[in-house]
Amino acid sequence: MTTCSDVVANLDGRGYGARLETPSAHPAILSASMNWRGAMQAKLDMARFNNVAGLIVLTRDSGSGRVFADAKENVRVEYTLNTLDKSHMMKGLEKALNILVAAGAQKVHAIHQGVEPFEPKNTNIADPEYQKWLAKILENGIVPNRTGLFSAHQMGTCKMGVDSSRGAVKPTSETWEADNLFVCDTSVFPTPSGTNPMITVASITYGSSKHVIDKLEALRQKSRNVPTNHLNKKRIRFKSRL
């Protein structure tokens, strides 16, 4: 279970922004998110993981990427944060850092390469020293390969649409191109949810399963109505030749 804050979840009035969440962070995840400052410092940081309170800035993307096959038929993923999403992520990061300082953190890390952790002397987020360090973080912004970013619950790669020009699957979760093929995970989301999608996926799957049942029942009924006289005649003729 996690705790989630919606303080910057709706920055544009359309439901796009970021949520602040306390994740279940295992040692491998934490160590991967720490800035590399040498082997000894990495060991010292990992030795204090029992005292780490991590916050993630869960941004609801307004942009998009693509999944494609290259010339050698290898699957490739192409994705770049757009300007709006970067802005939302940085506003969320600012709030997350403020929370940690106000909560009394002894040392605050941000996943920006080249920026040393900050050691607050008090819990006042208006402290000039903290504001100077925070300004450096905000000035750096989101830089490719210099800022640690993570992705989870990929959505919208097979989105649902009212017709084949607007999506890959029908509102029933059956694909437009292939009959009797149903997709029931986060890939059918028309837009990112901006939050953990488990309940939404369960709801979609529940509704889709009813359509699968209806489809199977229609196929079963159709098979029952197929005349069998011609099949019997073929069998009789085959037997008479023997």
Side-chain angles (χ1 to χ4, degrees), residues 174-222:
E174 184 179 17
T175 63
W176 286 103
E177 292 186 353
D179 291 340
N180 303 322
L181 174 61
F182 289 79
V183 182
C184 305
D185 62 3
T186 57
S187 60
V188 304
F189 285 19
T191 60
S193 63
T195 188
N196 291 339
M198 287 80 73
I199 295 177
T200 307
V201 171
S203 300
I204 289 175
T205 303
Y206 178 75
S208 300
S209 65
K210 292 188 173 182
H211 293 294
V212 173
I213 292 172
D214 291 342
K215 197 73 180 277
L216 290 173
E217 184 58 34
L219 291 172
R220 187 179 297 111
Q221 189 63 37
K222 184 178 179 180

Side-chain angles (χ1 to χ4, degrees), residues 93-206:
L93 178 60
E94 180 180 2
K95 293 293 185 181
L97 295 172
N98 287 345
I99 289 171
L100 293 173
V101 171
Q106 295 180 5
K107 183 180 290 187
V108 182
H109 294 258
I111 50 178
H112 285 66
Q113 290 293 332
V115 180
E116 290 294 313
F118 179 73
E119 297 184 14
K121 296 182 176 61
N122 52 61
T123 59
N124 181 13
I125 62 173
D127 180 82
E129 289 299 314
Y130 168 65
Q131 285 298 317
K132 182 179 178 180
W133 179 80
L134 179 62
K136 187 175 182 180
I137 295 291
L138 299 179
E139 182 182 355
N140 280 4
I142 307 296
V143 182
N145 301 318
R146 299 289 295 172
T147 309
L149 299 179
F150 298 83
S151 177
H153 309 300
Q154 290 75 22
M155 305 172 190
T157 55
C158 194
K159 72 176 186 177
M160 187 178 290
V162 294
D163 56 51
S164 59
S165 67
R166 301 186 185 185
V169 302
K170 305 173 185 178
T172 61
S173 289
E174 184 179 17
T175 63
W176 286 103
E177 292 186 353
D179 291 340
N180 303 322
L181 174 61
F182 289 79
V183 182
C184 305
D185 62 3
T186 57
S187 60
V188 304
F189 285 19
T191 60
S193 63
T195 188
N196 291 339
M198 287 80 73
I199 295 177
T200 307
V201 171
S203 300
I204 289 175
T205 303
Y206 178 75

